[in-house]
Amino acid sequence: KQSWMSRLKAGLSKTSANLSILFVGAKIDDDLYDELEAALLMSDAGVDATQFLLDALKRKVKEDKLLDAAQVKDALKQLLIELLQPLQKPFELGRHQPLVMMISGVNGAGKTTTIGKLAKHMQAHGQSVLLAAGDTFRAAAREQLMVWGQRNNVTVISQESGDPAAVSFDAVQSGKARGTNVVMIDTAGRLPTQLHLMEELKKVKRVIGKGMEGAPHETLLVIDGNTGQNALAQVKAFDDALQLSGLIITKLDGTAKGGILAAIARVRPVPVYFIGIGEKIEDLQPFNAAEFVEALLA
Ligand code: GDP
């Protein structure tokens, strides 16, 4: 069985190869910087983070009088770790009883899969979990969550048809009554451009707060690591609407380019609690900046 790190490395191998090759026997000149700029842009880092990294790297090369391409590569690695470090934040359990989490994202981002993974992760840490099927639009989404819950002995609060805010409120009440440690509230997938659905999401959040003061304690967005700069647009829009407390970036095992984390760090630094590195239940890892950069630039 492949380790998660080797799966992350495989996922990011294209970016890693594109970046690494630049430094092989290279002279430190404008050509190198131009090629690096192109490679960073190709990796989904975006204009802002790319310019930031290039400027910082040129400064460091000058200050430290770096003459060797391998040293420049190490300097870039260091700068990337420093850039991504603020996104690293451990997810702490047991802060509230129950700890209430609201989870949003566009369709197909991996939201339902991630909720299953998170529930498993929390159970492994001795937490009891309650799920709320807040996706009242798609019966299939609700069923997917129910099946998952049954298989893992997790109660799923669901209503055939109904108001997602009401289901969410119910779940919080139920979590309080049962003494559950964690209540995770799924929401229907939606695009930031669907303004009425974004308004609905704000309402769900407000109503959760009526069920328990200070809740939701975590407002998370799940994003697909393969969606390029679009992922950044999603982070901005959902953060504007909901004031996100954290992100989970999925599918970094596939063909993700990885640079999107640099863009997020520069433009909208919402903590990345976990990364998804596969379809299976155990394929979830806490985000670690140094490990991520190790996979991004071997
Ligand atoms: P939702 O619409 O946001 O709830 O998305 P789903 O949870 O249904 O996931 C959509 C697809 O992405 C499914 O085929 C999942 O198995 C897949 N998926 C989710 N997370 C990951 C991941 O980290 N890696 C890979 N390779 N696939 C994932």
Side-chain angles (χ1 to χ4, degrees):
K1 184 168 158 283
Q2 268 185 311
S3 77
W4 71 269
M5 190 63 184
S6 63
R7 250 174 305 121
L8 180 62
K9 278 187 173 164
L12 301 179
S13 61
K14 188 125 190 275
T15 297
S16 182
N18 285 346
L19 287 172
S20 294
I21 191 94
L22 302 180
F23 297 100
V24 178
K27 275 210 299 257
I28 303 161
D29 55 14
D30 283 345
D31 265 359
L32 175 65
Y33 290 125
D34 286 351
E35 282 170 20
L36 183 56
E37 179 172 6
L40 286 170
L41 289 171
M42 283 282 292
S43 82
D44 292 336
V47 175
D48 186 283
T50 296
Q51 213 49 57
F52 172 81
L53 285 166
L54 275 176
D55 290 348
L57 186 64
K58 286 178 189 173
R59 239 184 352 261
K60 198 160 171 59
V61 166
K62 218 167 166 183
E63 276 168 16
D64 297 353
K65 301 189 172 59
L66 303 183
L67 300 170
D68 184 76
Q71 292 175 315
V72 180
K73 182 180 163 185
D74 280 344
L76 176 63
K77 256 181 158 170
Q78 208 47 53
L79 287 168
L80 271 166
I81 293 172
E82 281 165 27
L83 177 61
L84 299 187
Q85 197 68 55
L87 299 183
Q88 185 183 321
K89 187 178 173 194
F91 190 91
E92 284 171 34
L93 293 161
R95 287 167 283 157
H96 301 277
Q97 174 90 18
L99 180 74
V100 179
M101 303 163 62
M102 174 178 167
I103 297 148
S104 56
V106 306
N107 274 320
K111 203 160 40 68
T112 313
T113 308
T114 299
I115 289 171
K117 290 177 182 177
L118 278 172
K120 193 91 180 171
H121 171 87
M122 286 164 181
Q123 285 180 313
H125 284 80
Q127 306 287 299
S128 57
V129 176
L130 181 75
L131 300 180
D135 186 346
T136 51
F137 284 100
R138 288 192 310 149
R142 209 166 52 236
E143 273 154 30
Q144 197 186 342
L145 206 63
M146 302 280 281
V147 167
W148 189 90
Q150 271 163 13
R151 220 188 288 137
N152 293 277
N153 264 323
V154 174
T155 306
V156 181
I157 305 275
S158 165
Q159 288 174 6
E160 275 276 315
S161 64
D163 173 36
V167 176
S168 306
F169 185 85
D170 263 13
V172 174
Q173 294 307 323
S174 180
K176 284 202 292 194
R178 295 165 191 235
T180 309
N181 298 126
V182 181
V183 174
M184 264 192 276
I185 299 166
D186 189 15
T187 60
R190 67 201 72 212
L191 291 170
T193 47
Q194 295 173 305
L195 295 181
H196 62 295
L197 292 182
M198 294 304 281
E199 284 305 316
E200 181 194 77
L201 215 45
K202 290 188 204 173
K203 180 185 163 194
V204 170
K205 186 172 179 179
R206 281 198 304 274
V207 172
I208 291 171
K210 301 226 188 294
M212 180 178 179
E213 209 187 310
H217 308 104
E218 296 289 351
T219 307
L220 305 183
L221 178 70
V222 176
I223 51 177
D224 177 340
N226 295 288
T227 41
Q229 288 292 299
N230 198 359
L232 184 62
Q234 287 171 22
V235 174
K236 282 195 214 166
F238 279 86
D239 187 39
D240 286 344
L242 297 175
Q243 291 79 52
L244 297 173
S245 62
L247 304 175
I248 296 164
I249 305 185
T250 64
K251 310 188 196 182
L252 289 174
D253 55 309
T255 52
K257 296 171 176 170
I260 190 64
L261 274 93
I264 291 168
R266 278 293 296 174
V267 179
R268 197 59 71 101
V270 181
V272 177
Y273 282 125
F274 295 96
I275 57 173
I277 31 87
E279 294 188 276
K280 289 211 272 315
I281 199 80
E282 64 275 14
D283 295 335
L284 186 79
Q285 280 290 325
F287 171 68
N288 177 288
E291 286 169 350
F292 189 82
V293 171
E294 189 56 41
L296 193 69
L297 183 56

